[in-house]
Structures are given as C-alpha cells and as structure tokens.
Amino acid sequence: MRVRILGKSPAWQDVDGACSGYLVEEDGYTLLLECGNGVFGKLRAHMDYVDLDACVISHCHADHTLDLVPYSYALSFAPRQQPVPVPPWPGTDTPARPRLHLPPGGEKVMRTVMTAWGMPALVEQAFASAEYDPEATLHLGPFEVRFRAVPHFVPAYAVEIVSTVTGGRFVYGSDCAPNEDLVEFASGADLFFVEATLPRPERAGPRGHLTAAEAGEAVRRAGVARAVLTHISDEEDPVVALERATETAGGIPVEIAVADALYEL
Ligand SMILES: [Zn+2]
Ligand SMILES: [Zn+2]
C-alpha cells in the first residue's frame, strides 16, 4: 500500500499547499481520502482524475470536502466526459463516475451547499455517491475500510485502511479532540496520521483538535509503528511541533507531514 500526501494544511492552505487529501494506492486501485480545498489540482499532478476508483470523506468540513466541487464540475463538463465527440475526445457512453463515500448526513450537507450555489445535485450526480455506515466495513478493491467516531465540531470518523494484499494497516485520525476511541482504534497500526492543528489547546468552548504534544501522547498510547503529524500549518515552526510530539511519543518515530511525501507499507 502506498500513501501519498496531496495536502496536509489545516483549514487554511499553506503557501502553494492544499488542505486534507491523501492518495492511497494498491494494485492499481486508487482511493482518495479527503478532498479539501486545493486537493483536485494536486491529484491531477499524480494521476488522471477520471481513473480514481473511490473517494472517502471523514467529515463534512470545507477543508475536507471543498474540492469535491471542482472535481464534480470536471466529471460533469470536461470534454472527454461528453456523450458526443468533442475534439480531440471521441465521446463516451460511460463517463467516469468514481465512488464517493460520505459520512452519515453528508449527502444532505453537499446538497445544501450546492443548492446555495444553484446546482443542488452536482456532486451526487458527478460521483456514484453514498453514505457509509460507520459500523460496517467498506470493501473497496484491495482495501478494507473501517470507521470510528471521534469528537469534533461535527460528526467525524477516524478511518482505518487495511490492504488485503499485504496486510498493511494505515489509520487516519481525522480531526478530533483528545479521546480514548482514537487511541484504541489506532492501536498497533503500521502508519498513523494524527492531526496536530493547535499550537495550544482551545481556550474556550468545546475542544475539537489536538496539539502536537497531545498528538504525540496518542501515538505513544496507541503503540503504532510510525506516526505522521498532519493538519498542521506552515505558519507553525515544524521543529518546535516535532519536539513537542517527540517528547510525548515514547520513542515512537514521528514525522511532520510534507506535501508529496510517500509512505509504503
Ligand atoms: Zn474539521
Ligand atoms: Zn480539518
């Protein structure tokens, strides 16, 4: 299994960066985990967007879903997706329609956003769209995909992707406050992407994100093989964030997410 970081920014993009987007590949099957703002262009740098097999979304915040909009426009209006020839494209009766797996309630969210923009069904018609059952396992090509609810400002799900080819196990924590469920869910993973959004804990209201030290703590307690801090701004000092996470990670190797980085497991 190969996991490539297309975008790792938090809710505002890094310079020349993208928000959440991770491309997971095995045996020619491609799965896009998250499609935040900026991700569609980054995806196009690595593959032809009509060849994507599936997209999985952990929660319906803009920085995890916004590029479903340009992606849907491409699938709907690109010359090669049309039923008649549009030179140099020959026309097709079977336009690409990747599978889109949204969290419960996600179709309504996308429809609400797109209604405000005048095309309510754009996303659900462009993709083969469905909402997943977080209690069930999704079987997507060579991958088994499982979910675990984590505390955030909207319903959000950590995602586990297991390769049925190699047995490699990748866990992505989505956006979340400190919580026990994530530690249990990620336990023993080969690769763990954990958010480290905050330079310090939220000072008021409910918690919804982790600091680097809290991310390191989750890494240590989950006993994973390798961890990557993600959802982190280029405005934070990566050396300081890494130091804070390393102090609490109990000797488990931790890295900071970098756009284009590729992990094999
Ligand atoms: Zn979020
Ligand atoms: Zn986010």
Side-chain angles (χ1 to χ4, degrees), residues 59 61 63-64 152-154 175 209 231:
H59 70 292
H61 271 161
D63 57 317
H64 298 251
H152 191 43
F153 304 115
V154 296
D175 292 0
H209 290 289
H231 207 267

Side-chain angles (χ1 to χ4, degrees), residues 59-181:
H59 70 292
C60 286
H61 271 161
D63 57 317
H64 298 251
T65 59
L66 202 58
D67 265 21
L68 289 174
V69 177
Y71 204 152
S72 296
Y73 278 116
L75 293 171
S76 304
F77 299 112
R80 67 169 122 172
Q81 290 280 87
Q82 304 312 310
V84 294
V86 181
W89 307 98
T92 177
D93 293 327
T94 54
R97 205 162 173 246
R99 297 173 68 169
L100 172 61
H101 298 276
L102 292 164
E107 290 192 318
K108 185 179 176 198
V109 172
M110 296 314 298
R111 211 173 300 132
T112 301
V113 171
M114 294 313 303
T115 296
W117 292 343
M119 297 195 76
L122 178 77
V123 173
E124 64 199 70
Q125 287 176 354
F127 288 88
S129 170
E131 295 179 0
Y132 54 78
D133 172 1
E135 303 295 321
T137 299
L138 273 182
H139 299 274
L140 300 179
F143 299 124
E144 289 179 352
V145 182
R146 296 181 190 85
F147 303 92
R148 178 71 62 91
V150 289
H152 191 43
F153 304 115
V154 296
Y157 300 90
V159 182
E160 176 193 64
I161 301 176
V162 176
S163 166
T164 57
V165 178
T166 64
R169 184 164 161 255
F170 166 51
V171 174
Y172 163 67
S174 186
D175 292 0
C176 62
N179 71 95
E180 290 303 308
D181 281 327

Side-chain angles (χ1 to χ4, degrees), residues 238-255:
V239 175
V240 171
L242 196 56
E243 274 176 9
R244 287 179 176 163
T246 302
E247 276 171 16
T248 55
I252 293 171
V254 180
E255 299 165 45

Side-chain angles (χ1 to χ4, degrees), residues 9-91:
S9 312
W12 67 103
Q13 282 150 272
D14 294 348
V15 174
D16 287 334
C19 290
S20 296
Y22 310 96
L23 189 60
V24 187
E25 299 171 86
E26 180 87 273
D27 260 1
Y29 188 96
T30 50
L31 186 163
L32 177 63
L33 177 59
E34 313 287 49
C35 194
N37 28 318
V39 167
F40 182 61
K42 302 293 182 187
L43 177 79
R44 294 191 68 187
H46 289 286
M47 64 176 288
D48 194 333
Y49 64 88
V50 297
D51 292 333
L52 186 77
D53 291 292
C55 178
V56 174
I57 302 291
S58 78
H59 70 292
C60 286
H61 271 161
D63 57 317
H64 298 251
T65 59
L66 202 58
D67 265 21
L68 289 174
V69 177
Y71 204 152
S72 296
Y73 278 116
L75 293 171
S76 304
F77 299 112
R80 67 169 122 172
Q81 290 280 87
Q82 304 312 310
V84 294
V86 181
W89 307 98

